[in-house]
Amino acid sequence: MTQTAQELWAQCCLFIKDIITPVQYDTWFRDISCMEYNVAERKLILMVPGSFFADQLEERFQPVVRAAVKKVFGEGVQIFYGYRTVGSDPSTANIQKSSAPSATILAQSKAQPANPFRNDNNEDFDPQLNPRYTFENYCQSDSNKIARSIGEAIGNNPSLKTFNPLFVFGPAGVGKTHLIQAIGIRIKERNPKARVLYITARLFQSQYTAAAAKNINSFFHFYQSIDTLIIDDIQDLQNMPGTQNTFFHIFNHLRQHDRQIIMSSDRSPAEMEGFEERLLSRFKWGMQVELERPDITLRRDVLKLKAEQDGLALPCDVAEFIASNVTNSVRELEGIVVSLMAHATVLNRDISLELARRVMANAVKINRKQVNFEMITEAVASHYNISPDLLFTKTRKREVSDARQIVMYLAKKLAKMPLTTIGHKIDRTHATVIYACNSIEDRLSTEKKLAADLDSIEAVINTN
């Protein structure tokens, strides 16, 4: 007896249930049904609650869904997601193809930034959340531990209004946008019907300007219907009294009705200028939490996570070099990893300290340590597995003689020492030091092993 498409999808669900956690299954898969399966075209349409579900499935569970469909339905099946919007004809649905939506499909299924001029109560409006900005992708350290803990508390229990409003502040690139969107995503995971909206202050201002000229009441109605309002870069509303006044009234309405308000800024409320005092007082009403610049632990974890996500083999010494020098923001760290991957691919080279320095040369200021003569002698002796004391003897053995010349060459190049000082340190004449430096310089162009040895020694000196 031939199985129906619904029965086949039920088998897929059993397969998926064994792979993911019960909470993930209940949140994202329990309400999915098989809308249609066209055997001839190998086309499977799954009915999901809305476009947000479709996006989340694509971003977070695509490998699992594809594996399940391949196992049960067979090879070559195209997966589509269908969903209906409020007020649409029950016989029709928006269809979004997995991984390759056409421009036409996107126009139907991807909502534009929340439209304040619509007067319906559409539960399927796009929350404007980036599916990648989850708590699972948010690394934690002492520099953001408090902020993350508060964010997770709100996301796990939106009815808890201890932190309402939540005002997150800190310099650019420290993870504010990721954190506040992660809260929104967690709320939607717990309650897919919750009206969560993420919006930048600039977009809010643009919507207000358009609404003021047409239908300001619809604008108010829309924003007063939000359950969790997340506004990024609230400092961009400075010196905009009309928009501030409107936000003031929306803020009051949402808080009076126990709706959650989350804001981010590049400075604390006490440092903000160009705002009405009554609005600033509301920014200070709930919880203010600072995101500090990432500490070394966070920088290491971010590099590791980003490399894993991009399928990049990042050597430990390279990761440590990047983490030690890119100190200002998480965004810079992620950018360096992307640049490294691009350079390694284009140049067909393995990722190394040399390549990392090349990539970072124009991106960040490298924290160079002061190199001294002792550091150089130790590194050279260690590399050639000889005692440092041998470098100061009169022996003319080739391995010791080469090492001694390299010490003189690097003392001039890295420590910027005068030639007479180098000679005094190693008990040689000024002329001997000149000869040694010129000799190494000439040999570098023809002796690959010597060049490799120097690269390795310099890498040790610069990282120790």
Side-chain angles (χ1 to χ4, degrees):
M1 178 174 160
T2 304
Q3 291 181 301
T4 65
Q6 287 79 11
E7 290 172 335
L8 291 172
W9 173 245
Q11 292 181 30
C12 290
C13 289
L14 291 175
F15 177 83
I16 293 170
K17 200 170 186 178
D18 286 339
I19 297 176
I20 63 177
T21 67
V23 172
Q24 288 175 324
Y25 181 83
D26 289 341
T27 301
W28 300 110
F29 291 92
R30 185 172 296 281
D31 295 327
I32 298 178
S33 61
C34 182
M35 179 180 175
E36 178 186 334
Y37 177 54
N38 187 315
V39 179
E41 297 180 6
R42 306 291 286 164
K43 177 179 176 181
L44 174 66
I45 302 179
L46 302 175
M47 180 62 74
V48 298
S51 62
F52 180 72
F53 263 73
D55 291 340
Q56 290 286 318
L57 291 171
E58 276 295 278
E59 290 287 342
R60 304 175 64 183
F61 300 104
Q62 182 188 128
V64 177
V65 174
R66 288 192 173 281
V69 170
K70 179 180 178 181
K71 180 178 178 65
V72 177
F73 285 85
E75 295 275 2
V77 176
Q78 299 183 76
I79 304 171
F80 293 77
Y81 297 112
Y83 54 90
R84 298 188 180 92
T85 57
V86 174
S88 65
D89 185 338
S91 64
T92 63
N94 292 319
I95 306 297
Q96 176 176 329
K97 184 179 179 182
S98 173
S99 294
S102 68
T104 303
I105 294 170
L106 276 176
Q108 294 173 335
S109 65
K110 292 287 285 181
Q112 296 300 311
N115 183 357
F117 306 117
R118 290 179 60 174
N119 199 30
D120 59 25
N121 191 31
N122 183 7
E123 294 182 354
D124 190 41
F125 77 93
D126 191 341
Q128 299 296 305
L129 296 167
N130 186 333
R132 294 184 182 278
Y133 286 161
T134 64
F135 280 115
E136 289 75 16
N137 289 335
Y138 191 80
C139 299
Q140 176 178 301
S141 75
D142 289 342
S143 62
N144 63 12
K145 185 176 181 179
I146 295 175
R148 177 183 173 131
S149 298
I150 292 171
E152 286 196 286
I154 296 172
N156 293 332
N157 185 11
S159 61
L160 177 67
K161 293 301 184 287
T162 306
F163 309 115
N164 191 27
L166 174 64
F167 193 99
V168 180
F169 66 95
V174 295
K176 300 187 298 293
T177 297
H178 190 150
L179 176 63
I180 62 179
Q181 290 208 39
I183 298 172
I185 289 175
R186 179 64 60 82
I187 291 173
K188 289 289 288 184
E189 287 177 344
R190 296 291 188 266
N191 179 14
K193 294 183 179 181
R195 291 174 65 83
V196 177
L197 177 66
Y198 165 85
I199 191 169
T200 64
R202 286 288 183 186
L203 183 54
F204 180 86
Q205 193 275 332
S206 297
Q207 290 181 348
Y208 164 73
T209 301
K214 295 181 180 179
N215 190 348
I216 195 66
N217 289 331
S218 293
F219 180 87
F220 275 109
H221 174 75
F222 174 82
Y223 277 97
Q224 289 174 349
S225 71
I226 302 298
D227 295 320
T228 299
L229 178 60
I230 305 170
I231 296 195
D232 208 354
D233 294 322
I234 195 72
Q235 77 276 356
D236 287 343
L237 295 186
Q238 69 178 34
N239 300 320
M240 295 181 180
T243 309
Q244 289 181 28
N245 182 61
T246 299
F247 182 64
F248 173 81
H249 292 295
I250 291 172
F251 182 106
N252 284 344
H253 176 89
L254 294 178
R255 196 173 189 283
Q256 287 169 7
H257 289 79
D258 287 332
R259 313 288 177 78
Q260 181 69 50
I261 305 163
I262 301 170
M263 296 167 284
S264 81
S265 172
D266 62 2
R267 68 208 74 166
S268 69
E271 299 172 313
M272 298 177 78
E273 299 178 352
F275 281 82
E276 296 182 17
E277 189 57 40
R278 63 176 184 169
L279 191 54
L280 287 177
S281 69
R282 278 153 179 78
F283 292 169
K284 304 172 186 177
W285 208 341
M287 181 70 191
Q288 303 168 57
V289 62
E290 180 179 8
L291 279 180
E292 302 172 0
R293 294 197 184 278
D295 57 27
I296 187 66
T297 300
L298 181 58
R299 299 198 297 270
R300 288 169 179 153
D301 290 345
V302 168
L303 281 172
K304 180 180 178 182
L305 177 63
K306 180 64 177 173
E308 288 176 351
Q309 290 175 338
D310 292 343
L312 186 67
L314 197 62
C316 293
D317 58 342
V318 175
E320 191 64 25
F321 176 73
I322 297 172
S324 298
N325 288 283
V326 184
T327 59
N328 286 332
S329 78
V330 171
R331 192 174 297 144
E332 281 185 333
L333 286 168
E334 294 177 341
I336 292 296
V337 172
V338 172
S339 297
L340 260 181
M341 184 165 55
H343 279 72
T345 302
V346 172
L347 300 176
N348 192 27
R349 294 175 58 181
D350 292 333
I351 291 177
S352 63
L353 274 174
E354 180 188 353
L355 184 61
R357 288 194 187 92
R358 177 175 176 178
V359 168
M360 293 168 60
N362 297 319
V364 296
K365 181 178 180 181
I366 305 299
N367 296 326
R368 300 191 183 276
K369 298 176 182 177
Q370 185 65 43
V371 178
N372 57 42
F373 188 80
E374 287 69 28
M375 291 169 61
I376 293 171
T377 54
E378 286 290 338
V380 172
S382 175
H383 181 82
Y384 288 106
N385 196 27
I386 61 177
S387 169
D389 293 337
L390 279 176
L391 298 172
F392 302 94
T393 66
K394 299 296 184 180
T395 179
R396 293 181 178 274
K397 288 184 179 180
R398 179 61 185 267
E399 63 271 21
V400 178
S401 177
D402 280 355
R404 186 186 299 120
Q405 288 191 343
I406 289 174
V407 167
M408 290 186 272
Y409 171 81
L410 291 179
K412 176 187 174 185
K413 177 183 177 182
L414 300 182
K416 309 298 182 185
M417 292 173 61
L419 299 182
T420 52
T421 304
I422 297 172
H424 178 73
K425 285 275 190 182
I426 208 160
D427 195 20
R428 295 296 188 276
T429 66
H430 179 269
T432 301
V433 177
I434 293 176
Y435 174 80
C437 292
N438 290 340
S439 175
I440 295 295
E441 196 76 55
D442 292 340
R443 291 170 59 191
L444 278 175
S445 60
T446 57
E447 298 183 26
K448 291 185 177 180
K449 184 180 184 308
L450 177 63
D453 286 347
L454 276 170
D455 283 343
S456 298
I457 294 168
E458 287 189 46
V460 170
I461 292 172
N462 287 324
T463 55
N464 283 345

